Amino acid sequence: MATKRKGVLTQGTQVWIQHGDLASPTLTKMVCITSVSAGDDSYSDIDDTCLEETDTKTSQSGLNTPSDGSLKINTDPDNASHMMLLQLAENRENVKVFVGWADGTEAPTLSTNTVTLPTTRTFTSFDASLRPGAPVFDPDSLVNHTIGLKRQSKLVTA
């Protein structure tokens, strides 16, 4: 009996960051990201309870509040993408993040100032403001950084 695929493995996931001047941005493939967390959004509640109500408040869903997330690296000073990420975070840069799922291998392309995502792979993308993180030195482990990000947009998965 054939087994059914139950999902997409995380191994093989790749991350790109669009950064720099809006008129002529750069798209950089991040080498060896160990974890990506985009966080869970929340929605405001707009109270629409009538004065006649005596038991339960009611509400309507309001605006989306993007969540905080993070990118984690086992920091390698010889890895140019790690050092660039640390500098972007230190500068609190606004970036676009493109996470290519492991259901494909094709990379996004940048032409002028537009990123085109291949249709042969699932991508999750979002805008974020990066936040610096301190290095972590734990026993029997690699030095690592968790770069905070404050999402500035909804997650888009296509």
Side-chain angles (χ1 to χ4, degrees):
M1 181 157 103
T3 56
K4 292 180 97 177
R5 185 171 109 175
K6 296 180 181 179
V8 177
L9 295 172
T10 57
Q11 294 311 120
T13 298
Q14 297 173 311
V15 178
W16 289 264
I17 293 180
Q18 180 182 342
H19 57 95
D21 187 302
L22 292 176
S24 58
T26 301
L27 184 64
T28 301
K29 182 181 183 298
M30 303 307 301
V31 177
C32 201
I33 297 289
T34 59
S35 176
V36 177
S37 172
D40 294 323
D41 292 356
S42 63
Y43 291 85
S44 61
D45 286 325
I46 300 171
D47 190 333
D48 65 357
T49 308
C50 295
L51 291 176
E52 293 87 4
E53 179 60 50
T54 60
D55 184 49
T56 304
K57 290 178 85 172
T58 59
S59 65
Q60 298 179 29
S61 185
L63 294 174
N64 176 52
T65 301
S67 184
D68 293 337
S70 63
L71 298 171
K72 185 175 179 183
I73 56 175
N74 289 328
T75 313
D76 179 357
D78 293 329
N79 180 328
S81 70
H82 286 189
M83 302 317 290
M84 180 210 68
L85 181 62
L86 292 174
Q87 188 60 56
L88 290 172
E90 187 64 34
N91 295 343
R92 292 174 168 71
E93 294 283 336
N94 291 323
V95 299
K96 292 181 183 281
V97 179
F98 301 92
V99 181
W101 293 27
D103 60 353
T105 59
E106 195 171 348
T109 57
L110 176 66
S111 178
T112 314
N113 60 355
T114 302
V115 171
T116 302
L117 301 176
T119 58
T120 57
R121 180 180 203 176
T122 306
F123 278 85
T124 298
S125 58
F126 53 91
D127 298 338
S129 177
L130 298 178
R131 303 288 188 253
V136 176
F137 302 90
D138 282 328
D140 200 26
S141 68
L142 299 172
V143 175
N144 65 78
H145 280 83
T146 299
I147 304 300
L149 54 88
K150 173 63 177 167
R151 277 196 296 108
Q152 303 296 317
S153 69
K154 287 183 175 184
L155 295 172
V156 176
T157 299

